[in-house]
Amino acid sequence: MKPFSRTTAVLRTALHGSRALTWLSAVMGVLLLVAVVGLVADGRTVGGQPTWLKPAKFASSFIAYGLSLAWMIGHLRRGRRTARWAAYVIVVMSVLEVGIIVFQAARGRASHYNEATPLDEALWNAMGATIAVLWVATAVLAVLLWRGGMPDRTSTWAVRLGMVLLLLGLLQGFTMVVPTAEQLALDEQGVDALMGAHAVGVSDGGPGMPLTGWSTTGGDLRIGHFVGMHGLQAVLLFAMLVPALVGDVVRRTRLVVVFSFAYAGLLVLVTWQALRGQPLLAPDALTLAVAGGLLAVTAVAGVLAVAPAGGMVAGPSRVPVSG
């Protein structure tokens, strides 16, 4: 299938699955363009980063998030009504979440961890509530997709494990809302301070990597959040590419499982590295050793996955629908 035809097929399936989520992605695409213009035209900064960087990053994430979920709902064989109601909840919560981020960016205020004024605090608390509801709605979809399956065994396991990674990535974000000891001390003294942080070992707003803004002087919990949030897309993309390498469905499915567990290991690794106050690009010997071990285990598992003997996953390529 040609790339253009494949793209249109994906969009048709997404629209069939959930028009609401597909339109959410379209709206986020427009917002991304607006944010890019803001990055060029607006020289203000918030927390040491360009004011419109956060709206741009969130818009990009929600484009992939909405389209992925809509495409998977389009393959459901049962439970589609419940899935579409969950999709409506996700759309509403996403619009509220990103809307607050854009509103605060327009004001030149921090959207996250900001309790400096009653309005800032109310908006921050509202964001926390929207993410909690969004996680529950996503978990509902994960259950439906786990039970309903996909057209073949390989994509079924890609969706199942990808959704688990997505939920873990969303949960990882809660590690950033815990106030630091310094913030609590300032709050007790009546000094306005942000409540929560993504940097570890350094203050938020320091030197950061291009585009992402991830800290280059300390740990950054946003890295693990990003890795987990986009684990679903990574696994789905791998499942789409692996048929070019392996012919039969059993071995393809084994490789998808290996890739998913390796990706989960990466999520744990970068989060652990951040919690130890290390920049992503400046790992110490222990981090490098653990990363090397993860690569070695993945390589061995990959070789075993394509071995002709044995079977980690067996059965026909079509996944039966469970009741």
Side-chain angles (χ1 to χ4, degrees):
M1 185 182 292
K2 296 180 179 180
F4 180 76
S5 299
R6 183 182 292 274
T7 301
T8 55
V10 169
L11 290 175
R12 284 197 300 268
T13 303
L15 279 169
H16 177 65
S18 172
R19 289 185 177 273
L21 282 169
T22 306
W23 277 107
L24 172 68
S25 295
V27 171
M28 292 299 164
V30 174
L31 173 59
L32 177 59
L33 295 177
V34 172
V36 169
V37 172
L39 286 169
V40 175
D42 191 343
R44 294 177 299 166
T45 61
V46 175
Q49 299 293 327
T51 300
W52 291 97
L53 180 60
K54 189 181 292 290
K57 292 194 294 184
F58 270 75
S60 300
S61 289
F62 275 101
I63 291 171
Y65 176 69
L67 278 178
S68 299
L69 293 183
W71 178 80
M72 291 186 298
I73 293 172
H75 288 90
L76 274 177
R77 294 186 290 274
R78 60 172 57 186
R80 189 169 290 175
R81 182 187 296 272
T82 303
R84 285 176 174 165
W85 275 109
Y88 291 139
V89 173
I90 289 173
V91 168
V92 172
M93 295 301 105
S94 301
V95 169
L96 289 174
E97 173 84 4
V98 178
I100 292 172
I101 291 171
V102 172
F103 176 69
Q104 290 291 72
R107 296 175 64 220
R109 306 282 296 179
S111 55
H112 288 66
Y113 327 122
N114 189 358
E115 299 180 358
T117 69
L119 177 58
D120 292 328
E121 182 176 5
L123 292 173
W124 171 229
N125 289 335
M127 290 175 67
T130 61
I131 287 298
V133 176
L134 184 145
W135 190 92
V136 172
T138 304
V140 170
L141 285 181
V143 172
L144 292 171
L145 290 164
W146 189 284
R147 295 178 64 239
M150 296 287 283
D152 62 85
R153 185 173 292 274
T154 301
S155 58
T156 292
W157 278 102
V159 167
R160 287 173 172 176
L161 298 176
M163 288 298 291
V164 171
L165 288 170
L166 170 61
L167 291 172
L168 290 175
L170 287 169
L171 279 178
Q172 193 270 6
F174 286 98
T175 62
M176 294 180 274
V177 302
V178 180
T180 65
E182 294 79 3
Q183 291 170 340
L184 291 174
L186 289 173
D187 185 62
E188 291 178 359
Q189 298 170 16
V191 178
D192 290 335
L194 299 179
M195 290 289 110
H198 54 72
V200 179
V202 295
S203 299
D204 286 0
M209 296 170 58
L211 296 180
T212 63
W214 296 337
S215 177
T216 56
T217 57
D220 200 317
L221 294 167
R222 293 176 297 181
I223 301 169
H225 187 52
F226 174 86
V227 169
M229 280 281 295
H230 296 290
L232 172 62
Q233 289 83 37
V235 176
L236 288 177
L237 180 60
F238 181 81
M240 292 177 182
L241 295 176
V242 76
L245 303 174
V246 179
D248 69 274
V249 67
V250 173
R251 295 176 189 173
R252 289 202 303 265
T253 306
R254 293 176 185 172
L255 285 175
V256 165
V257 173
V258 170
F259 178 85
S260 300
F261 276 89
Y263 196 94
L266 176 64
L267 167 59
V268 173
L269 175 62
V270 296
T271 301
W272 175 65
Q273 180 185 9
L275 288 171
R276 293 164 60 228
Q278 291 179 21
L280 177 65
L281 301 181
D284 64 5
L286 179 58
T287 302
L288 289 173
V290 173
L294 176 61
L295 284 173
V297 170
T298 301
V300 172
V303 171
L304 293 175
V306 297
M312 186 170 62
V313 181
S317 61
R318 186 76 181 183
V319 177
V321 177
S322 57

